[in-house]
């Protein structure tokens, strides 16, 4: 699959350990260097803010999608290629889905968890065939992976996440996905 645009779901928190922001910077630079358009939540804070800032400094293309009401929390970033203001979270999620050729799920909170499970569920329901990459830094996503495994083991579902997502836990493995 040739990925030209990547929707990224990640944290908007400024309270994380430094390793998360370092990862965000590496990803922003790498995707810009590969000429892969970044589609993200449109905020200046947290991992999302680091990714967009570094990508723009590296002459990348960044599209942010954000509802106006989140401006106080996530601070709308107008210093990117294109900022799209939407009315609702549902509209934001739909545009994030539509504009990305693939999805990257980085560590994040409730919003990231919701976005991740939605695109995973849609793939399980065969509503799309886009690549989903789970970046499991320091086993952050292990509980989610185990939850899907439990659902399969207990007959609530027939597939685990390894069947519908690519899992990486370091930057070298992440980069390999884009050289396939």
């Amino acid at each position: 699959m040739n990925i030209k645009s990547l929707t990224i779901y990640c944290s908007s928190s400024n309270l994380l350990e430094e390793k998360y922001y370092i990862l965000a910077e590496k990803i922003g630079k790498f995707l810009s260097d590969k000429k892969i358009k970044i589609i993200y939540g449109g905020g200046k804070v947290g991992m999302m803010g680091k990714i967009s800032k570094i990508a723009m400094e590296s002459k990348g293309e960044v599209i942010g999608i954000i509802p106006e009401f989140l401006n106080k929390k996530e601070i709308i970033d107008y210093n990117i290629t294109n900022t799209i203001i939407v009315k609702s979270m549902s509209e934001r999620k739909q545009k994030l889905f539509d504009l990305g050729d693939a999805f990257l799920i980085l560590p994040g909170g409730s919003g990231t968890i919701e976005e991740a499970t939605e695109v995973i569920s849609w793939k399980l329901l065969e509503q799309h065939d886009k690549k989903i990459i789970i970046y499991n830094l320091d086993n952050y996503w292990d509980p989610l992976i185990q939850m899907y495994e439990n659902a399969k083991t207990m007959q609530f579902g027939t597939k685990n996440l390894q069947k519908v997502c690519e899992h990486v836990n370091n930057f070298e493995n992440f980069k390999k996905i884009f050289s396939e």
Side-chain angles (χ1 to χ4, degrees):
M1 169 184 262
N2 187 15
I3 299 172
K4 294 183 189 318
S5 62
L6 183 65
T7 294
I8 302 175
Y9 302 124
C10 62
S11 175
S12 62
S13 172
N14 282 330
L15 304 173
L16 306 175
E17 291 179 46
E18 189 64 22
K19 65 184 175 187
Y20 296 104
Y21 306 118
I22 290 168
L23 174 62
E25 290 176 358
K26 285 181 178 178
I27 288 171
K29 174 89 170 90
F30 174 78
L31 294 174
S32 293
D33 291 348
K34 295 289 269 182
K35 306 287 188 241
I36 296 171
K37 184 187 317 177
I38 294 170
I39 314 297
Y40 85 115
K44 284 186 175 183
V45 296
M47 292 177 75
M48 75 164 75
K50 288 285 185 192
I51 289 170
S52 65
K53 181 177 187 273
I54 294 298
M56 290 305 296
E57 288 173 1
S58 302
K59 308 286 187 250
E61 187 174 355
V62 180
I63 298 176
I65 303 157
I66 189 167
E68 179 69 39
F69 78 87
L70 277 180
N71 193 27
K72 287 186 169 86
K73 182 178 187 315
E74 295 183 0
I75 309 169
I76 297 172
D77 193 346
Y78 292 102
N79 298 317
I80 57 177
T81 310
N82 188 12
T83 303
I84 301 170
I85 307 296
V86 295
K87 291 185 168 99
S88 68
M89 291 299 286
S90 296
E91 188 179 356
R92 178 198 214 183
K93 289 191 307 177
Q94 186 64 53
K95 284 197 179 299
L96 287 167
F97 176 82
D98 292 341
L99 294 177
D101 294 335
F103 306 100
L104 172 60
I105 301 167
L106 296 172
S110 61
T112 304
I113 294 166
E114 177 193 13
E115 292 161 335
T117 55
E118 185 171 69
V119 296
I120 291 166
S121 294
W122 289 355
K123 188 160 185 173
L124 288 167
L125 294 169
E126 299 177 355
Q127 296 302 294
H128 74 85
D129 194 30
K130 297 179 181 185
K131 184 180 293 257
I132 301 171
I133 305 157
I134 297 177
Y135 199 122
N136 194 17
L137 180 64
D138 291 341
N139 303 312
Y140 180 85
W141 290 113
D142 281 1
L144 180 71
I145 294 164
Q146 187 59 51
M147 186 183 307
Y148 277 90
E149 190 59 43
N150 289 346
K152 182 178 180 272
T153 300
M154 298 174 71
Q155 311 277 327
F156 287 99
T158 58
K159 296 178 182 160
N160 62 22
L161 285 188
Q162 286 77 6
K163 297 229 188 243
V164 296
C165 302
E166 290 204 37
H167 298 238
V168 298
N169 58 11
N170 62 59
F171 195 67
E172 290 307 311
N173 288 340
F174 172 75
K175 290 193 312 188
K176 286 179 188 172
I177 290 172
F178 297 90
S179 61
E180 296 172 348

